[in-house]
Amino acid sequence: MTLRHTLLSGAAALAMALPAQAGPDDNTLVWSTDREISVPFVWWDTVTEMGAMMYHIYDTLVYRNPETMAYEPLLATSWEWIDDTTLELKLRQGVTYHDGSSFTADDVVKSYSMLLDPATAVVNDRFVKWMNEVEKVDDYTVRLNLAEPFPAALEFLSGTRMAVPPAEAWEGLPTKADGTPDFAQMPSIGTGPYKLDHFSPGETLTLTRYEGYFDGPKGQPAIETITFRTIPDQETRVAELMVGGIDWITDLPSDMVEQLGAVPGVAVTAGPDMRIAYIALDRTGRNEGTPVADVKVRQAIAHAIDRETIAKEIVGPAAQVVNAACYPTQVGCTDDVPHYDYDPEKAKALLAEAGYPDGITVEMGAYRERPHSEAVMGYLRESGINAQLTYLQWSGLRERLTAGDIDMAVRTWASSGLNDVSAIASVLLKMAPDDLCQSPEIKAKLDAADTTVDADARAALYKEALTMVAEEVCWIPLFSYSKVYAHNEALDFFPTADGFPLFYLAEWKE
């Protein structure tokens, strides 16, 4: 039985068992993945699904416009660097929480101080630890005092982990068996366009539109109710989409995408994805005798790969070739670096110049999307580069990279959805044990850029660092990913590159 027949059979069975529950008729949107949400706070449950819902329940001080990627006022109306380690923000007046209380500086100071408190035990505390302390200047002014310059502050302030609950929500919480506060039991009260209506751990989460939402950059949401459902089985999710039980799903394999594209009432949308694939190469020759220690060999490898074809034919329609060690929209990213366009004859010539007229054999590690790596291998082979694939779990590949006993590896990085170069180049290229570039010069430029508040000076430093990476060819960018969504064809949905669906921007078509 074909996949299409299987899905149609499942959809028919569901159609008899369930009435259609989602869609424009009752202005409700139901979305689903296979992941479970354990608590309704991203500080203690970091799944993307909970992160997305935080953007709906809460607001942050700064808003990153998902279309322009510009920073705009949200709960803060303006901001100013007092000095390199002090950021002052003026707060919006007249904002009310879902419980009717007023938003003031006290809420920011209390909430951010709690996130900084080790006792609160937030997961991935690097997203808040860039702050040292939070200071109230007056009822509608706060200062963030930093331990060191952190020019990516606005990006972090716009992120889902910097939501601002009311100060009172942190008080009087139930305690756990050890007597410490159970923060997961905190009431989920925000200022966002939706309020939490129902939460069943591991199963469902329902939001309803907050009619008292202020007039800000998120706009007034069009859809009245949003429900998230955990459905572990992929075919069940697809079948429910086909009969109208749910309106939006993602993370579909290519065979299902092709089938769903022909189903009446279902639309398939390809959106950008901030995840980047790249090849790390042993620049320093830690793997003794490796030919890729020669820069001409690394240049040959770069010229041998048809990245454009792999991106469009294998990765997905929204994938794009990347030339620098960053995602194109990230603050500090630039395409003005040396390019290595597909040119197999030039690749062969470079190998000959390096002393390998008959080609080379190298070991290439990989840990995900095997078809991507096999496509790379095929192109390398055409230029005389015999890449022998070692496919491992990520932990195993990382051990090999750290030990420096592998020639090259296909890796990926999603920057945790952060639209700043410091979330990629500064994580992967500052001489960490698994960094195959191991360049003190690149690290020095990145260190300087990471601590320079002046935007123009910072951009210039990142450009120098990214140019060095491209010249050394120890980090060959391949392509960004493409993310596919299947949804009710009546839904007008805007896909974002960071992977967080923003349903407050969605609406039902008339």
Side-chain angles (χ1 to χ4, degrees):
M1 181 178 288
T2 67
L3 176 61
R4 178 174 173 78
H5 289 150
T6 300
L7 293 179
L8 288 173
S9 298
L14 274 170
M16 290 185 289
L18 294 172
Q21 305 171 42
D25 290 344
D26 58 358
N27 202 12
T28 295
L29 186 152
V30 180
W31 66 296
S32 176
T33 73
D34 61 350
R35 294 179 181 174
E36 297 182 356
I37 298 177
S38 60
V39 298
F41 302 99
V42 75
W43 301 304
W44 306 291
D45 188 345
T46 60
V47 295
T48 297
E49 291 75 0
M50 190 57 240
M53 291 297 88
M54 291 284 284
Y55 280 122
H56 294 71
I57 301 169
Y58 293 93
D59 289 315
T60 49
L61 298 182
V62 178
Y63 183 64
R64 187 182 74 199
N65 186 306
E67 294 187 78
T68 67
M69 305 306 277
Y71 300 118
E72 300 176 1
L74 190 52
L75 287 179
T77 56
S78 63
W79 46 83
E80 177 187 7
W81 285 102
I82 303 301
D83 55 46
D84 284 358
T85 58
T86 308
L87 180 61
E88 182 174 283
L89 301 102
K90 298 292 184 181
L91 305 182
R92 189 182 297 269
Q93 300 185 34
V95 175
T96 57
Y97 281 98
H98 300 155
D99 64 355
S101 60
S102 297
F103 165 73
T104 69
D106 292 329
D107 302 304
V108 179
V109 173
K110 177 66 174 182
S111 294
Y112 286 4
S113 296
M114 291 301 296
L115 295 178
L116 286 169
D117 186 345
T120 310
V122 298
V123 181
N124 290 342
D125 63 0
R126 71 183 182 88
F127 288 97
V128 299
K129 290 296 187 182
W130 54 273
M131 297 183 296
N132 189 40
E133 64 175 356
V134 189
E135 173 189 357
K136 175 181 176 180
V137 178
D138 58 42
D139 284 348
Y140 291 98
T141 307
V142 295
R143 283 187 177 180
L144 307 184
N145 300 310
L146 317 183
E148 59 183 11
F150 190 73
L154 295 182
E155 174 62 23
F156 278 67
L157 284 173
S158 72
T160 186
R161 291 171 178 83
M162 299 306 295
V164 186
E168 294 76 12
W170 298 93
E171 305 294 342
L173 298 177
T175 56
K176 295 186 286 190
D178 61 2
T180 59
D182 188 354
F183 293 107
Q185 300 301 315
M186 186 172 75
S188 185
I189 302 169
T191 64
Y194 288 88
K195 56 185 179 181
L196 180 64
D197 181 69
H198 170 77
F199 175 60
S200 179
E203 296 179 358
T204 62
L205 181 149
T206 298
L207 309 180
T208 56
R209 187 169 57 197
Y210 176 41
E211 300 301 339
Y213 190 56
F214 64 91
D215 186 19
K218 288 184 178 179
Q220 299 295 326
I223 296 175
E224 185 175 347
T225 304
I226 298 173
T227 295
F228 169 77
R229 291 174 53 198
T230 298
I231 301 178
D233 181 68
Q234 189 174 65
E235 290 189 2
T236 301
R237 291 195 302 276
V238 171
E240 284 218 38
L241 175 69
M242 292 169 66
V243 300
I246 56 180
D247 301 299
W248 185 99
I249 59 177
T250 188
D251 296 329
L252 297 163
S254 57
D255 54 350
M256 280 193 178
V257 171
E258 184 176 347
Q259 299 290 345
L260 281 172
V263 174
V266 174
V268 175
T269 298
D273 191 330
M274 201 173 282
R275 182 175 294 277
I276 286 175
Y278 66 96
I279 299 177
L281 301 105
D282 183 6
R283 165 184 169 271
T284 63
R286 288 195 295 172
N287 188 28
E288 188 175 353
T290 179
V292 303
D294 189 319
V295 69
K296 289 187 181 295
V297 171
R298 300 197 298 274
Q299 291 171 343
I301 291 171
H303 280 298
I305 304 168
D306 187 349
R307 298 175 296 156
E308 184 73 35
T309 297
I310 296 175
K312 296 304 179 187
E313 300 297 328
I314 300 177
V315 183
Q320 57 182 312
V321 169
V322 176
N323 292 304
C326 49
Y327 186 73
T329 67
Q330 288 178 317
V331 174
C333 190
T334 177
D335 190 59
D336 186 17
V337 298
H339 289 203
Y340 298 90
D341 297 329
Y342 177 53
D343 189 339
E345 294 307 313
K346 188 169 186 177
K348 293 175 184 176
L350 285 164
L351 286 178
E353 289 177 30
Y356 302 102
D358 299 323
I360 59 172
T361 296
V362 292
E363 182 184 13
M364 184 176 79
Y367 71 103
R368 58 180 291 166
E369 284 92 25
R370 191 178 187 118
H372 300 178
S373 298
E374 290 177 345
V376 168
M377 290 169 57
Y379 282 113
L380 292 177
R381 191 177 302 115
E382 292 177 7
S383 293
I385 302 163
N386 178 28
Q388 298 179 340
L389 181 63
T390 299
Y391 199 78
L392 300 165
Q393 295 290 330
W394 164 238
S395 58
L397 179 57
R398 188 174 188 177
E399 287 181 8
R400 296 287 306 277
L401 291 165
T402 299
D405 67 348
I406 196 165
D407 300 305
M408 52 193 282
V410 179
R411 297 183 57 176
T412 75
W413 191 254
S415 298
S416 298
L418 294 167
N419 195 55
D420 194 275
V421 170
S422 62
I424 180 167
S426 301
V427 176
L428 301 174
L429 291 162
K430 286 172 66 168
M431 300 183 68
D434 60 349
D435 170 19
L436 295 189
C437 287
Q438 292 294 315
S439 168
E441 295 80 14
I442 292 171
K443 181 180 184 301
K445 289 295 181 183
L446 291 172
D447 282 339
D450 291 345
T451 55
T452 299
V453 173
D454 181 87
D456 291 338
R458 187 175 186 238
L461 287 165
Y462 278 131
K463 183 179 185 301
E464 290 182 49
L466 296 172
T467 299
M468 288 180 184
V469 175
E471 289 173 344
E472 290 293 331
V473 209
C474 54
W475 204 102
I476 300 175
L478 295 174
F479 43 77
S480 64
Y481 276 55
S482 176
K483 195 171 182 67
V484 177
Y485 309 89
H487 54 87
N488 187 319
E489 68 175 1
L491 182 67
D492 187 359
F493 165 70
F494 177 79
T496 59
D498 60 12
F500 293 112
L502 303 179
F503 294 121
Y504 59 79
L505 297 176
E507 61 182 347
W508 294 111
K509 302 173 186 176
E510 297 183 0

